[in-house]
Amino acid sequence: MKTNPTPLLLTALAAISLTACGEKTSAPDDKASGSTAPTNAVLESAFVDAEPEGALSVVEARKQAQPGATLTVTGRIAGSHDPFSADFATLVLADDALRTCERIPGDSCSTPWDACCVDPKEIAAQRLTIQVVGEDGRPIDQSLKSVNGLTELDTLVVTGTVAEGSNAENLVLNATRIFAKPGDHGEERS
């Protein structure tokens, strides 16, 4: 018996187009609730109460990206529609200068952290990836979303080692210390 693949294909295309427009098609879960998520020991040990000193902006850190080097960088969780991986301890950290939508008067974007009003090349030049890795060198299989209350637009100061294969265009920092600046989530901080 032959089946017509057209209805299945149309359903898949509709789901993709809704996702591309920013609408959520997945069911809600505890990870997106905004509560503090349970963590494992490696994640717990990465979060610190004292702000690391000597932080570079994301743009400056990208210029100094040498695999194996230790860097301290500051920025905001932004620069992507989904800056947190749902399955791994990774996030996108954007330069504080990136003009996200909440900084544009009158803009009522529901996902201001994605900087949708900025040229994608400019966004790409102002972000990097932060990851927390286990002993095996791979990202821990738990999202950073909600860990210690982390959410989009939070300002972080992160110390870590530049991952092998990183360069100025694709910088990945293996975090060893993560400090979340206090204050309301996503507010302008002085």
Side-chain angles (χ1 to χ4, degrees):
M1 177 173 148
K2 285 189 168 184
T3 59
N4 185 354
T6 304
L8 180 59
L9 180 60
L10 290 175
T11 301
L13 289 174
I16 290 170
S17 68
L18 285 175
T19 301
C21 293
E23 293 185 31
K24 298 287 184 191
T25 57
S26 60
D29 61 24
D30 292 336
K31 291 180 184 176
S33 69
S35 63
T36 301
T39 60
N40 70 30
V42 175
L43 283 179
E44 282 294 329
S45 68
F47 285 86
V48 297
D49 294 328
E51 183 174 341
E53 295 181 11
L56 301 168
S57 69
V58 169
V59 171
E60 285 302 312
R62 287 171 57 103
K63 292 176 186 175
Q64 298 182 26
Q66 296 296 322
T70 299
L71 292 177
T72 298
V73 63
T74 186
R76 296 184 314 142
I77 302 172
S80 172
H81 189 275
D82 294 312
F84 292 97
S85 168
D87 300 316
F88 298 101
T90 65
L91 61 83
V92 177
L93 192 70
D95 196 277
D96 191 53
L98 181 64
R99 190 169 166 99
T100 49
C101 299
E102 88 287 358
R103 292 178 167 174
I104 300 171
D107 193 314
S108 60
C109 180
S110 63
T111 57
W113 53 84
D114 65 9
C116 59
C117 298
V118 178
D119 182 286
K121 289 180 183 178
E122 186 178 335
I123 296 170
Q126 295 186 57
R127 65 182 180 192
L128 58 83
T129 300
I130 300 293
Q131 63 183 11
V132 179
V133 298
E135 290 180 14
D136 61 1
R138 298 186 331 197
I140 293 170
D141 61 351
Q142 177 183 335
S143 178
L144 284 170
K145 174 93 175 180
S146 299
V147 172
N148 287 350
L150 288 185
T151 191
E152 293 85 354
L153 298 175
D154 280 353
T155 298
L156 304 180
V157 180
V158 181
T159 299
T161 305
V162 177
E164 290 300 317
S166 290
N167 55 47
E169 287 77 38
N170 184 29
L171 177 56
V172 178
L173 193 65
N174 293 331
T176 55
R177 294 189 305 168
I178 300 172
F179 174 78
K181 287 200 173 188
D184 294 335
H185 298 294
E187 77 175 3
E188 292 277 347
R189 293 175 175 92
S190 51

